[in-house]
Amino acid sequence: MATSFVEQGELNLQFENCLKVKEFLKNHLGRTPLAFTHTYGCQGNVAEGERIDGMLKMMGYEFCDDASKADFVLFNTCAVREHAEERVFGNIGMLKKFKETNPNLIIAVCGCMVQQEHIKERLRKSFPYVDIVFGTHAIHTLPEHVLNCLTKEERVFAVPESDGVVFEGVPSEHTNTLKAFLPISYGCNNFCTYCVVPLVKGRERSRRYEDIINDAKRLVAEGFKEIMLIGQNVNSYGNDFGETNLFSKLLKEIDEIPGDFIIRFMTSHPKDCSFELIDTIAQCKKVEHHLHLPFQSGNDRVLKEMNRHYDRERYVTVAKYAKEKIPDIAITSDVIVGFPGETREEFLDTVSLIREVEFSSLYIFIYSPRVGTKAATMPDPITAEEKSARFKELSDAQAAVAEGRNLSMKGKTYRALIEGRNKAGRLGGRTSQNIMIEFDGPDELIGTFQNIKVTEPLTWILKGELQ
Ligand code: SAH
Ligand code: SF4
């Protein structure tokens, strides 16, 4: 499928709408309008939220961190698990009282949740004070909806069905001054049976190679110290142009951009993670030694039921190759416990895999049935208590693995980007392996790279000394 790009003419109309909103607010509000926006979920959503903020800025909004003071409140939502969805509904419910005190307040909800029919209808019926609901394929149309909402006082539901679009040229309002997310593709073609992402984010669409390179150069010139390339499956970047291994080429070219910065990327799908990619990480100077490679389950029957297109052996082979080529690499992963029908023996294969691969950290999720996915129709006899017990057992096993790994870092020195102070007042940064390290030092070090010697490795963080 050819990627469908939003035409410049259409975007120009939206930019004009931004100016119209700005003019309207200037005449009717008589002060600077304030926006409160909040993004839930993955880095992809965060990057979309930054483009939405970019458009709001063009409309004249400034940002505040208190929804009760805002003239425009937006929730950019995540649909990956039920728990996340319920949290969003709770937070939308809390906005009702702000609407009562400020009738001019505009409330908007967007992102993956609203792309689901049953959620859109729940918002329509049970949350009448939500003014604008716009889907993942209508992000660039926000200015027109804000304008209509202000001038015609219309409730808007803009949730087109689509395989997805790509739009370029909307400036991002970055939430972090040191680290920038740089999307390289949108959507997903994999249809893992438990996952709602392909249903709500559309088919995989790669951005144009030159657009990504130009963005990377601009981010470096703007002073960002870390660029994280993001996509649901970065390894298949460019497959929709008929290219293979284009991601390795992209990494090498960004690595060549002059400047003191580091490169990270996520997520890698094990079925597409080539040895060439690992060789590329090893050759590059700026690509950090961290590979996020979600395995989801250590059992072959469950992996098949999940439609993951690799088996345990393939996963272990890739992980071992990465460790041989790059001995200090950290491999992290996502895993689901309690997939429908997962037996205790099958779960124990997952426990043994984490010991075999020695992950430096794991995101463990209890399976959550998602409307419209194949897994949601599979018999699921395992009780919630059993699933929680498996979660705890796996967390404990991983804590022991991480502790052992971190212990092996004692006495060694690691370069880290210093990000700021933690609650205890100590400076903190992340090593190449993406492990948090804290130490004492002056504020001037924030935003710089420093060498830190590990003096006290703990389970989740390292304590160290400035060298
Ligand atoms: N594209 C990425 C992951 C995106 S979703 C990948 O394939 O690795 C992030 C993680 O959420 C997944 O890796 C999976 O572990 C988890 N997840 C997705 N759907 C889920 C569900 N229905 N229940 C529980 N966890 C889920
Ligand atoms: Fe979901 Fe699988 Fe696509 Fe990841 S690869 S987003 S888990 S369908």
Side-chain angles (χ1 to χ4, degrees):
M1 188 195 77
T3 298
S4 125
F5 288 89
V6 176
E7 284 181 14
Q8 195 54 47
E10 196 183 331
L11 282 176
N12 289 345
L13 285 178
Q14 294 300 346
F15 295 154
E16 279 171 29
N17 286 330
C18 287
L19 298 178
K20 287 181 191 163
V21 169
K22 193 171 184 174
E23 192 60 25
F24 182 95
L25 287 169
K26 197 167 143 205
N27 295 335
H28 288 78
L29 209 61
R31 61 172 168 78
T32 306
L34 293 177
F36 170 90
T37 62
H38 185 77
T39 290
Y40 299 82
C42 66
Q43 290 91 351
N45 262 18
V46 173
E48 290 303 11
E50 292 179 345
R51 292 209 290 177
I52 289 169
D53 285 355
M55 288 189 281
L56 288 169
K57 198 166 179 198
M58 288 170 86
M59 291 179 231
Y61 286 95
E62 279 183 11
F63 298 94
C64 65
D65 50 16
D66 181 352
S68 72
K69 297 201 169 61
D71 305 290
F72 182 94
V73 174
L74 174 137
F75 288 141
N76 180 22
T77 62
C78 168
V80 167
R81 283 169 294 275
E82 191 182 359
H83 178 68
E85 291 191 337
E86 285 314 317
R87 216 155 39 112
V88 170
F89 278 123
N91 288 342
I92 298 173
M94 306 229 278
L95 297 177
K96 192 174 176 200
K97 60 177 185 288
F98 302 146
K99 192 88 173 189
E100 281 155 9
T101 50
N102 176 9
N104 294 323
L105 169 65
I106 295 178
I107 298 176
V109 182
C110 67
C112 295
M113 271 173 75
V114 313
Q115 200 63 35
Q116 305 173 99
E117 190 62 25
H118 67 288
I119 301 275
K120 188 179 78 181
E121 288 314 309
R122 184 166 163 194
L123 285 167
R124 196 193 298 277
K125 294 198 183 90
S126 308
F127 298 86
Y129 48 89
V130 171
D131 303 287
I132 304 176
V133 172
F134 62 109
T136 51
H137 310 305
I139 295 173
H140 60 287
T141 62
L142 177 63
E144 122 193 12
H145 305 314
V146 176
L147 187 63
N148 284 342
C149 197
L150 285 169
T151 56
K152 301 187 194 149
E153 298 186 15
E154 275 176 0
R155 236 186 143 199
V156 177
F157 282 79
V159 188
E161 287 291 320
S162 162
D163 282 343
V165 293
V166 172
F167 62 98
E168 299 289 353
V170 170
S172 293
E173 183 69 11
H174 290 281
T175 39
N176 187 305
T177 52
L178 289 178
K179 310 200 296 183
F181 293 133
L182 175 46
I184 66 168
S185 62
Y186 304 104
C188 182
N189 281 352
N190 288 319
F191 292 97
C192 301
T193 53
Y194 51 82
C195 185
V196 79
V197 170
L199 309 183
V200 293
K201 290 249 198 247
R203 295 293 67 70
E204 182 171 77
R205 286 99 64 200
S206 298
R207 291 183 65 203
R208 282 181 289 251
Y209 191 88
E210 317 74 64
D211 287 338
I212 300 170
I213 298 291
N214 288 339
D215 274 359
K217 287 183 180 157
R218 182 180 47 77
L219 291 168
V220 173
E222 285 174 9
F224 286 95
K225 298 287 178 214
E226 175 183 310
I227 295 178
M228 184 181 280
L229 306 172
I230 56 171
Q232 291 300 341
N233 179 6
V234 290
N235 309 116
S236 55
Y237 168 72
N239 288 8
D240 47 341
F241 310 147
E243 300 256 7
T244 46
N245 273 325
L246 196 57
F247 183 58
S248 294
K249 180 168 176 238
L250 186 72
L251 270 185
K252 283 184 201 150
E253 193 159 342
I254 297 177
D255 193 64
E256 291 298 321
I257 298 173
D260 195 14
F261 69 99
I262 53 176
I263 305 164
R264 296 186 188 274
F265 60 88
M266 89 171 22
T267 291
S268 289
H269 193 302
K271 81 177 165 62
D272 299 308
C273 184
S274 63
F275 288 180
E276 181 182 340
L277 173 68
I278 292 162
D279 295 344
T280 302
I281 304 171
Q283 284 159 21
C284 286
K285 295 173 292 296
K286 293 170 182 156
V287 177
E288 293 289 60
H289 290 179
H290 171 217
L291 184 61
H292 186 64
L293 194 63
F295 69 91
Q296 313 296 359
S297 167
N299 175 271
D300 284 348
R301 189 198 69 84
V302 176
L303 284 172
K304 209 165 177 37
E305 289 293 301
M306 288 177 162
N307 194 33
R308 291 289 287 178
H309 293 284
Y310 55 86
D311 58 13
R312 180 188 174 115
E313 194 186 337
R314 152 87 188 162
Y315 188 90
V316 171
T317 306
V318 173
K320 284 205 169 132
Y321 185 76
K323 288 189 176 195
E324 269 161 37
K325 269 270 158 178
I326 310 164
D328 69 345
I329 200 166
I331 303 181
T332 59
S333 199
D334 295 347
V335 51
I336 296 176
V337 297
F339 183 78
E342 179 195 62
T343 64
R344 169 124 192 105
E345 288 67 37
E346 288 167 343
F347 164 71
L348 290 177
D349 284 343
T350 292
V351 180
S352 76
L353 184 77
I354 65 154
R355 296 198 174 117
E356 186 173 357
V357 176
E358 291 196 321
F359 293 101
S360 69
S361 71
L362 267 191
Y363 293 92
I364 306 172
F365 303 105
I366 294 180
Y367 169 73
S368 169
R370 306 284 63 213
V371 173
T373 61
K374 192 168 172 208
T377 64
M378 295 177 182
D380 190 7
I382 317 147
T383 62
E385 291 72 30
E386 172 61 21
K387 291 185 185 203
S388 298
R390 288 181 195 176
F391 178 91
K392 167 95 178 42
E393 195 175 333
L394 197 60
S395 307
D396 290 348
Q398 173 55 30
V401 170
E403 209 173 297
R405 266 195 62 92
N406 287 357
L407 207 58
S408 71
M409 298 174 93
K410 189 169 179 174
K412 296 187 186 144
T413 297
Y414 293 86
R415 186 172 183 256
L417 172 61
I418 312 309
E419 295 172 21
R421 283 197 190 278
N422 62 14
K423 282 190 194 126
R426 305 192 82 200
L427 288 180
R430 284 178 184 275
T431 68
S432 177
Q433 295 74 13
N434 206 30
I435 302 174
M436 183 57 89
I437 186 159
E438 61 166 54
F439 62 101
D440 290 320
D443 278 351
E444 299 84 85
L445 300 187
I446 296 171
T448 66
F449 291 96
Q450 297 297 328
N451 291 320
I452 318 293
K453 183 174 175 183
V454 177
T455 51
E456 195 186 341
L458 304 176
T459 310
W460 309 119
I461 64 160
L462 306 166
K463 293 191 173 187
E465 276 168 8
L466 185 64
Q467 292 302 287

